[in-house]
Amino acid sequence: MVALTTRPLAPLASPPAGAPVRRLPALRHLGPNWYASVMGTAIVATAGAGLPWQPPGTRTALTVVWALSALLLVALLAARALHWAHHRDQARAHLLDASMAPFYGCLAMALLAVGGATLVVGSDWIGMRAAVAVDLVLFTAGTVTGVLAAVAVPYLMVARHRPPLADASPVWLLPVVAPMVSAALGPLLVPHLPAGQLRQTLLYGCYGLFGLSLLGALLMLPLVLGRLLTGPPALALTPTLFLVLGPLGQSTTAVHQLAEAAPGVVPGPYAGGFATLAVLYGVPVMGFAALWLGLAGALVVRALRRGMGFSLTWWGFTFPVGTCVTGLAGLGSRTGLRLFELAATGLYALLVAAWLVACTGTVRRLVTGRLPAPPA
């Protein structure tokens, strides 16, 4: 599997006679993995807004982070469009690379994450009506992209990539997790739709996306764990172990948000069942998330002691942890247990620290020209 390490770009040599002249060479190695920075930034705003304790000034700070994530999304969408226009061969190579193609799920999740953050905190600046319109567009685009990625990337892995099971990685989860993000953020739009069929369709549709993603992740997780038991991953890939937290935290968030949106939309017995499921499902899954967080954290410490340097994989410390924050916060509000609220607050502190480190490392390497860089 290709490691997404950072190294200085080689000097640009003069192209041989007759070779096509490539424009915008700095964008040649800008892959879909860069959308992870958008996801990791947007989740800081969304997760912070759901915490039980809000010190003065928190809301303003979260709105600033949302604005940054929106700017990052626009910039990356433009840069990736230029990448496809001027480096089509490299873009096709990304699709045919089993280690890079799964990151197309990040495009969908970036669209969804910014859309959700717009509705949760961005409405403070642009107004609720505009926020709903923006989220509706981004949710639709992200959901369609996510479902396509959940089908197309596994198809490519079966028909074209055919990676050996020894290369199984948490990165393989990215395409199938994208629909779970739709399932978690779609219920936020339910109250803003006309009552009746539209609300019910969106709610039940989100439940369908929940099942699509959950079963897909359950099929992938044994491969990831089986590979891990044969030995630790390469140092640069160790942060990807945190990606396993994504389907765990996001699915817990999804069942909570679906239960929140259900009253008045579906018959009373169904709404009660949704609320019961949110607790019966969320608590055990968060228990496993705590186990995985401890295991992945220990392996990260091991990798750091062995010289693991910064790479774009460090963004894997952000979004998955943020989904666990929203999942725990949902359980805290539903059960009233302070334990869940304290755990959510503690994990949020870890999320902010990880975001600051990933953001600082990325900006420093962009300024020095070491990013975007070819994978090593």
Side-chain angles (χ1 to χ4, degrees), residues 271-286:
F274 291 174
T276 302
L277 178 64
V279 177
L280 294 183
Y281 175 88
V283 175
V285 169
M286 283 293 94

Side-chain angles (χ1 to χ4, degrees), residues 58-140:
T58 299
R59 189 78 180 183
T60 301
L62 297 179
T63 310
V64 170
V65 174
W66 157 77
L68 176 60
S69 70
L71 291 174
L72 284 173
L73 177 62
V74 172
L76 272 176
L77 287 174
R80 286 286 297 162
L82 291 172
H83 179 268
W84 271 94
H86 299 294
H87 302 284
R88 194 178 301 272
D89 62 323
Q90 185 68 17
R92 289 177 57 84
H94 286 161
L95 279 173
L96 299 179
D97 183 352
S99 64
M100 185 62 76
F103 283 100
Y104 274 90
C106 290
L107 167 59
M109 290 186 280
L111 294 168
L112 292 164
V114 173
T118 302
L119 194 59
V120 172
V121 298
S123 56
D124 292 356
W125 283 5
I126 66 174
M128 183 57 70
R129 185 173 181 178
V132 170
V134 170
D135 188 24
L136 189 60
V137 171
L138 292 179
F139 174 80
T140 302

Side-chain angles (χ1 to χ4, degrees), residues 206-228:
C206 287
Y207 253 111
L209 293 170
F210 170 84
L212 182 161
S213 181
L214 179 63
L215 295 177
L218 289 177
L219 291 173
M220 290 289 189
L221 281 174
L223 302 178
V224 174
L225 182 58
R227 163 60 188 87
L228 186 60

Side-chain angles (χ1 to χ4, degrees), residues 6 27 53 57 66 138 156 160 183 240 244 247 261 274 341 362 372:
T6 58
L27 297 180
W53 297 286
W66 157 77
L138 292 179
L156 287 173
R160 296 294 298 271
T240 64
V244 175
F274 291 174
E341 296 177 350
T362 303

Side-chain angles (χ1 to χ4, degrees), residues 244-309:
V244 175
L245 295 174
L248 304 177
Q250 199 65 274
S251 60
T252 302
T253 304
V255 291
H256 168 69
Q257 295 293 355
L258 288 164
E260 286 286 296
V265 178
V266 299
Y270 292 168
F274 291 174
T276 302
L277 178 64
V279 177
L280 294 183
Y281 175 88
V283 175
V285 169
M286 283 293 94
F288 180 71
L291 167 66
W292 192 269
L293 179 63
L295 174 62
L299 288 171
V300 167
V301 171
R302 175 186 179 275
L304 288 172
R305 295 178 63 182
R306 283 162 172 75
M308 179 183 71

